[in-house]
Amino acid sequence: MENVDVDEHHAEYAGLLWVDRCRPTTFEACVVHKELNERLRRLSESPAHLPHLLFYGPAGSGKRTRVRLLLRELYGIAVDHSHVEHRLVRVGDPPRSLEYTTVSSAYHIELNPSDVGYSDRLLVQAVIKEIAGSRPLLSSAEQDAMVEGGTSTETASKRLPYKVVVLHDVDRLTREAQQALRRTMEKYAQTCRLVLIADSATRVLEPLRSRCLGIRVRAPSETELRTVLRQVWQRMVHSAESPPEALLDHAIRASDGNLRSALLSLEASYWTSKAGRKGSALPEPDWRSICDEIADQIRKEQTPPSLLRVRALYYDLLTHCIPVDIILSMVLRRLLERVPVALGQQLCFWAAEYEYRACMGSKAILHLEAFAAKCMALIRMAQTAG
Amino acid sequence: MARGDDHATQPWVEKYRPRRLDDVTQQHETIRALKQLLYGSGGSSLTEKVASLPHLLFYGPPGTGKTTTALALCRELFQNITNRETLQNRVLELNASDERGIRVVREKIKRFAQSSIEESVDAQVPGFKIVILDEADAITADAQTALRRTIEVHSRTTRFVLICNYLSRVIPPLASRCAKFRFKALEDGAVIARLEHIARTEGMGPLPPEASRLLAKAAAGDLRRAVNLLQSCADWARSADGSQRVLEPEMVSEAACMVPASVVERFYDICVSRNEPVTACFEVLRGGYPVDELLRQTLELLLLDSGTPPAQVQMNDLQRSAIALHMACAEKYLCDGATEAVQLLAFVANCRSVLQASS
Ligand SMILES: Nc1ncnc2c1ncn2[C@@H]1O[C@H](COP(=O)(O)OP(=O)(O)OP(=O)(O)O)[C@@H](O)[C@H]1O
Ligand SMILES: [Mg+2]
């Protein structure tokens, strides 16, 4: 998780990526989602009765950035003085140790309860309920803000009687954990507002969606992507120069509407070209290209040894904590690009089936493998028929 | 529980949570039956018969007033307790945010049920306590089985109020011990009336009919959602100088994040046409609309569509029902946590195979 300061020349910046360094710090500076930004700004103008919020939309569409900007509108610059903490609690019956990470300022706290896997319910019941039920420590926090933030009135924090609890990846919480949030959100509305962030609203339980004001963050359009990439380039590389169109096109095509990966890819291309073709360290093959490889393998060779190779690649992804649904969607997508339409339809049908089984079951690799085997069988059948 | 002066810093949904049974919107039969149990055929003092209050089970979709009614009921039951006792002595609320393993629940209930209450000869103070088991869907079947016994053991001194969204999630032996009350999704008229009341109280001025109709539609019977939406629209419509502008219907559909008709039509088109589907599907997904909502609205289009769909496809009733079945399947998978992208692609593929099979 990032902890970004506004100061340009801060030493902290040394190792940071462009995406983090160029994160906008005010709604005005944000070129993507103009209309949404305006709405959020309005919402923050009457903060006393802010409802709970649910930000949802595709990965990399800018949900975190919007939440960050909203917090800043609510509390002023003091929310940026946040620190990362690793905590350990013992909860449950029989007691279990849970380790989790928080990012917090005097006014807000961010955590990702799905970090603790199947015990997320316990975390929600014990930790989040406690955070939600306690009042914010206004006076001391304000003192802090005064000391650290200098004298300008800008930095003085605003007085709000509640704190904000930001929960990431809510769609990856178990149902029990989501259920556990329900009454907490109502009972402690006085002292705490929840901001939930999810890639997919569908996976957030209906009663939770009912408790929040939904805020859809769509993926940025191609024009918006282009504008942001240009801006970042001008800020990081050369202020009077536009990036080569080829680089832009490449970054946008590879990103699939994900602003974060578009920026990462632009930066990678820049450093590669700067280092010259020879001797430049190629970026690590990311999970996407491994999915690519899996799809290729399935399409090229439908034999048991081929399946073994696919298995090795799957394991590679799983050990890097890529969620099973993301793997399966990506492999499916790559396969669809390479097979005839009629066959593709069958693949889709079975993908849905195996993906469902994977999410009901607990051993992801079995279902991923079964899917690969099924694809191979279908491809082989189509070949012998045609 | 909230005091009056705290209202300023609460979201509207909490601020406008009814505190008395009479203020609960629409659930007439339920409210009438409950009041009958409390007050008999009339008057405002509790009847003698209140001593034989049964266990209660409230069920219904989110945001229809179940928790509200349970809390209001307790408040009215114990309105006359002497000030040496508090409501906390009499009412225990256990919800999904509490640890509800079998052992813990049994212990908690036991401790609560055994704590003494003021013996009173006065019929105006019922001689029992109430345990509210809210969000009972989340209690495992095992724990529910164990609860059966707990309820029996303590039923002389304690009444239980179970609350859940789906009746089917409560095991029958438990459900059969309770008087059941269904909370219906609110009708548009009732939603609008409540919203108008809130708007008046908040000084928003009268709601334009078109806007309130849209609000009710977007809420789909969930009053909490409606109130949340109204609040966000109010913020949206407030000008910089604090005066209120008129609520435009566009603001409502924007705030409600409804899937716009154009997107639904576009998706329908993808389902029934023969063009390359994958890119188009991902285009739809990039919009970030909740896919279950999208499917629901597409179904409406499918059922309405009487042979002249946008993409010049003739569909017979058999095909129509086959597609509806696929939709039900996708919806079920999504409810269970499956992935939007895969399910959407599969649904499109299934639609197409249905249409191609007979042509
Ligand atoms: N029938 C109703 N009359 C008035 N207000 C209502 C009604 N139903 C819901 N509300 C509003 O919605 C809010 C939530 O209602 P409540 O907590 O009773 O829902 P619920 O039925 O318990 O939902 P869930 O199943 O999600 O727990 C209330 O605070 C109130 O503002
Ligand atoms: Mg409730």
Side-chain angles (χ1 to χ4, degrees):
Chain A
M1 268 173 238
E2 54 285 272
N3 172 14
V4 188
D5 220 34
V6 261
D7 184 4
E8 274 276 343
H9 310 288
H10 210 281
E12 237 180 301
Y13 268 138
L16 279 185
L17 296 166
W18 291 0
V19 260
D20 294 325
R21 293 176 68 174
C22 298
R23 193 182 284 276
T25 50
T26 59
F27 279 126
E28 286 73 34
C30 232
V31 284
V32 189
H33 303 305
K34 281 278 179 213
E35 58 310 318
L36 177 61
N37 296 338
E38 176 58 18
R39 237 187 100 200
L40 289 174
R41 218 180 43 70
R42 282 287 174 81
L43 211 58
S44 70
E45 276 173 2
S46 44
H49 42 241
L50 185 82
H52 302 297
L53 302 175
L54 167 63
F55 284 79
Y56 63 92
S61 58
K63 301 182 288 293
R64 261 172 205 236
T65 307
R66 303 259 136 9
V67 170
R68 209 159 253 286
L69 293 178
L70 180 71
L71 284 173
R72 219 176 216 275
E73 290 284 320
L74 286 176
Y75 294 108
I77 214 160
V79 280
D80 285 348
H81 295 286
S82 53
H83 57 278
V84 181
E85 221 179 295
H86 302 282
R87 305 190 191 181
L88 192 73
V89 282
R90 281 182 73 73
V91 284
D93 172 46
R96 234 171 300 171
S97 294
L98 300 180
E99 222 182 314
Y100 62 100
T101 308
T102 62
V103 178
S104 58
S105 72
Y107 305 97
H108 86 292
I109 178 162
E110 296 180 39
L111 63 162
N112 187 337
S114 64
D115 278 351
V116 297
Y118 288 109
S119 312
D120 54 0
R121 174 180 60 90
L122 295 174
L123 193 68
V124 171
Q125 287 177 336
V127 178
I128 296 181
K129 203 158 101 175
E130 193 199 306
I131 299 173
S134 61
R135 287 195 174 265
L137 297 166
L138 269 181
S139 50
S140 74
E142 270 165 352
Q143 278 164 13
D144 283 351
M146 298 310 282
V147 174
E148 289 173 28
T151 47
S152 134
T153 47
E154 270 271 292
T155 55
S157 56
K158 296 173 192 162
R159 183 179 276 272
L160 285 178
Y162 57 81
K163 62 180 131 4
V164 171
V165 178
V166 181
L167 299 183
H168 294 285
D169 291 339
V170 177
D171 49 342
R172 300 211 169 270
L173 294 186
T174 59
R175 308 182 132 250
E176 292 74 28
Q178 294 193 35
Q179 294 272 16
L181 277 174
R182 288 169 68 172
R183 193 71 186 121
T184 301
M185 294 173 78
E186 298 182 326
K187 262 186 150 161
Y188 304 112
Q190 194 75 237
T191 47
C192 137
R193 298 299 143 80
L194 261 72
V195 173
L196 312 180
I197 304 182
D199 284 352
S200 132
T202 310
R203 267 197 271 195
V204 178
L205 286 186
E206 200 68 55
L208 278 196
R209 276 198 255 173
S210 151
R211 279 160 174 77
C212 300
L213 179 66
I215 300 204
R216 180 176 62 93
V217 186
R218 60 167 170 78
S221 69
E222 211 182 299
T223 334
E224 285 171 327
L225 282 175
R226 221 168 262 277
T227 319
V228 177
L229 292 182
R230 281 216 183 88
Q231 272 186 354
V232 168
W233 181 275
Q234 282 167 353
R235 190 157 151 213
M236 303 309 302
V237 181
H238 198 295
S239 56
E241 177 186 291
S242 258
E245 284 300 314
L247 271 194
L248 278 189
D249 286 340
H250 172 74
I252 289 173
R253 211 168 339 103
S255 74
D256 194 20
N258 183 327
L259 183 52
R260 191 178 175 82
S261 45
L263 280 168
L264 286 174
S265 133
L266 183 74
E267 184 174 359
S269 322
Y270 170 72
W271 291 116
T272 320
S273 68
K274 200 172 171 199
R277 257 171 221 96
K278 259 177 259 150
S280 70
L282 276 172
E284 277 275 284
D286 72 337
W287 61 274
R288 268 174 244 250
S289 51
I290 300 184
C291 291
D292 231 22
E293 228 175 293
I294 295 175
D296 256 345
Q297 188 69 43
I298 292 175
R299 201 183 48 95
K300 276 208 214 100
E301 192 186 327
Q302 297 85 32
T303 58
S306 171
L307 196 55
L308 277 180
R309 276 196 286 282
V310 169
R311 168 191 286 180
L313 292 170
Y314 274 147
Y315 267 125
D316 200 4
L317 290 169
L318 289 173
T319 48
H320 284 89
C321 294
I322 311 288
V324 51
D325 54 314
I326 291 190
I327 302 177
L328 205 141
S329 332
M330 192 46 89
V331 171
L332 172 67
R333 195 159 169 196
R334 294 288 178 250
L335 279 170
L336 291 179
E337 286 163 7
R338 293 175 172 83
V339 300
V341 176
L343 179 56
Q345 260 164 242
Q346 293 181 44
L347 295 187
C348 285
F349 174 83
W350 287 103
E353 213 55 41
Y354 285 107
E355 200 269 320
Y356 177 65
R357 290 183 202 176
C359 85
M360 299 308 281
S362 57
K363 275 262 178 286
I365 185 71
L366 295 181
H367 304 284
L368 285 173
E369 248 175 23
F371 173 63
K374 186 78 199 176
C375 288
M376 287 182 181
L378 290 171
I379 291 173
R380 180 57 75 79
M381 268 196 294
Q383 278 168 355
T384 48
Chain B
M1 250 156 239
R3 292 180 310 274
D5 55 348
D6 288 338
H7 273 169
T9 61
Q10 281 189 321
W12 287 6
V13 271
E14 290 306 319
K15 184 170 169 186
Y16 291 99
R17 186 190 285 280
R19 321 219 352 122
R20 297 160 34 80
L21 289 178
D22 276 333
D23 299 336
V24 175
T25 309
Q26 186 184 306
Q27 312 297 352
H28 306 294
E29 287 137 60
T30 303
I31 298 300
R32 200 177 315 122
L34 288 175
K35 290 188 72 174
Q36 173 76 30
L37 285 171
L38 257 58
Y39 302 114
S41 46
S44 61
S45 53
L46 299 175
T47 69
E48 308 250 307
K49 291 210 200 74
V50 80
S52 58
L53 188 81
H55 303 302
L56 306 173
L57 171 61
F58 297 166
Y59 64 100
T64 48
K66 301 180 298 297
T67 305
T68 308
T69 304
L71 294 175
L73 180 78
C74 293
R75 222 171 273 129
E76 298 201 12
L77 261 178
F78 300 116
Q79 57 192 325
N80 294 322
I81 48 176
T82 57
N83 36 22
R84 259 178 299 157
E85 261 189 312
T86 58
L87 210 54
Q88 270 77 16
N89 274 352
R90 296 300 195 112
V91 182
L92 174 68
E93 191 193 335
L94 290 174
N95 52 63
S97 77
D98 301 300
E99 170 65 48
R100 286 197 296 198
I102 304 173
R103 225 168 47 107
V104 180
V105 170
R106 208 183 288 149
E107 275 305 304
K108 269 193 194 160
I109 293 179
K110 195 168 147 203
R111 222 175 316 126
F112 172 73
Q114 284 174 349
S115 74
S116 65
I117 52 174
E118 205 144 296
E119 277 301 328
S120 81
V121 279
D122 186 359
Q124 288 309 302
V125 181
F128 54 78
K129 308 182 190 191
I130 298 250
V131 175
I132 302 178
L133 287 169
D134 204 348
E135 292 145 15
D137 313 65
I139 309 180
T140 60
D142 283 347
Q144 289 190 33
T145 313
L147 259 179
R148 256 166 47 181
R149 176 106 184 92
T150 311
I151 290 184
E152 236 151 59
V153 170
H154 299 291
S155 66
R156 208 179 49 79
T157 53
T158 316
R159 299 299 132 76
F160 287 78
V161 181
L162 270 72
I163 305 181
C164 63
N165 290 122
Y166 302 101
L167 191 53
S168 58
R169 294 279 169 84
V170 174
I171 57 169
L174 200 55
S176 66
R177 284 172 166 71
C178 307
K180 296 185 229 8
F181 295 94
R182 189 160 89 94
F183 283 69
K184 296 192 212 75
L186 277 81
E187 277 155 23
D188 286 2
V191 171
I192 291 172
R194 180 74 181 161
L195 291 183
E196 273 168 353
H197 163 76
I198 295 177
R200 250 196 323 277
T201 321
E202 291 289 332
M204 282 177 69
L207 295 176
E210 180 63 3
S212 50
R213 202 187 52 76
L214 254 178
L215 277 168
K217 176 164 187 271
D222 177 343
L223 192 51
R224 172 169 36 217
R225 191 164 147 69
V227 174
N228 260 336
L229 283 177
L230 181 71
Q231 186 192 330
S232 95
C233 291
D235 290 336
W236 184 229
R238 191 174 299 118
S239 316
D241 59 4
S243 63
Q244 286 283 348
R245 284 184 290 150
V246 178
L247 210 56
E248 309 282 353
E250 292 77 59
M251 293 180 194
V252 178
S253 46
E254 179 63 37
C257 295
M258 292 198 270
V259 187
S262 61
V263 175
V264 180
E265 275 161 26
R266 168 98 190 85
F267 178 64
Y268 187 83
D269 215 44
I270 299 173
C271 293
V272 298
S273 79
R274 282 166 185 268
N275 304 332
E276 195 275 321
V278 181
T279 325
C281 277
F282 277 97
E283 195 57 48
V284 170
L285 284 166
R286 275 209 281 277
Y289 299 100
V291 169
D292 53 350
E293 193 56 45
L294 177 65
L295 286 180
R296 235 166 275 151
Q297 292 191 31
T298 310
L299 179 66
E300 263 171 49
L301 210 60
L302 177 82
L303 295 180
L304 282 180
D305 163 10
S306 47
T308 50
Q312 290 101 44
V313 174
Q314 295 293 330
M315 221 187 282
N316 58 36
D317 285 350
L318 208 58
Q319 289 170 319
R320 230 184 277 275
S321 10
I323 291 180
L325 266 178
H326 282 305
M327 194 168 293
C329 184
E331 147 110 51
K332 151 93 176 126
Y333 283 9
L334 285 170
C335 273
D336 284 339
T339 309
E340 294 183 329
V342 176
Q343 297 302 327
L344 196 76
L345 282 170
F347 176 71
V348 171
N350 292 336
C351 279
R352 289 175 176 222
S353 16
V354 167
L355 293 172
Q356 284 156 11
S358 48
S359 60

